[in-house]
Amino acid sequence: MSDRGEACPGCDIVSEPGARFCPSCGRQFHSSEEEATDTFEVLPLPPHEDDRARFPADCGLFVVDSGPKAGSRYGLEAALTTVGRHRDADIFLDDVTVSRRHVEVERTADRYVVRDVGSLNGTYLNRERIETADLEDGDELQIGRFKLVFFHGTAP
């Protein structure tokens, strides 16, 4: 890695020095000094028949509609899902527009509530800034540069 950062092998975008992920496509950089341990699976949009095998019909699902990880899918099976730039977040969004601990999504039975946990850039649900809000099927959640569409279950 040089003083100017590393060029992504996938899209040739040059990152900031010390970055672990490409700021454009989200691809992880591999250093010869250390072995990479994080892996991310990028799946196509939108939910379709194959999702039934991966996500229970009563499970919420985020699909990244735009941003560096467009096409990624995240099942919301846990009672509490954390989203942010912190490497221990359940949904890791590596971009400076995302706070380390940006939002939490709480699941109670078939109800999902999103809560901003003190982010600097705010959290937007259907283009309105929120602190706490219920998620409904088809809602668009914006966290920094990322727009995530919420789907509740994948059954027809």
Side-chain angles (χ1 to χ4, degrees):
M1 187 185 301
S2 71
D3 289 337
R4 68 180 194 115
E6 184 172 342
C8 175
C11 67
D12 292 324
I13 299 295
V14 177
S15 69
E16 294 291 323
R20 293 179 33 202
F21 300 92
C22 175
S24 178
C25 69
R27 180 179 234 166
Q28 182 175 8
F29 296 128
H30 295 280
S31 169
S32 59
E33 300 163 2
E34 63 182 53
E35 184 177 318
T37 57
D38 296 333
T39 58
F40 298 96
E41 183 178 5
V42 177
L43 302 168
L45 280 173
H48 45 74
E49 295 293 319
D50 294 340
D51 287 334
R52 291 188 187 140
R54 288 193 281 267
F55 300 107
D58 63 345
C59 177
L61 171 73
F62 276 136
V63 177
V64 181
D65 187 45
S66 68
K69 296 174 97 173
S72 297
R73 299 167 187 222
Y74 301 97
L76 302 170
E77 298 178 65
L80 185 69
T81 302
T82 59
V83 183
R85 195 168 34 98
H86 192 275
R87 65 185 186 116
D88 293 333
D90 298 315
I91 299 177
F92 175 64
L93 302 176
D94 190 21
D95 188 84
V96 295
T97 62
V98 177
S99 294
R100 284 176 175 43
R101 289 175 176 80
H102 203 104
V103 300
E104 295 176 341
V105 179
E106 183 178 1
R107 177 184 186 184
T108 306
D110 64 348
R111 181 174 174 244
Y112 290 85
V113 175
V114 63
R115 183 175 303 107
D116 186 291
V117 288
S119 69
L120 293 176
N121 292 327
T123 302
Y124 296 83
L125 185 63
N126 301 321
R127 298 187 177 145
E128 291 185 29
R129 189 166 181 162
I130 56 106
E131 294 299 318
T132 301
D134 288 340
L135 288 171
E136 302 292 333
D137 190 50
D139 280 349
E140 179 187 79
L141 181 68
Q142 184 172 351
I143 301 171
R145 290 177 38 198
F146 297 87
K147 290 184 180 177
L148 299 93
V149 179
F150 175 74
F151 294 96
H152 189 234
T154 55

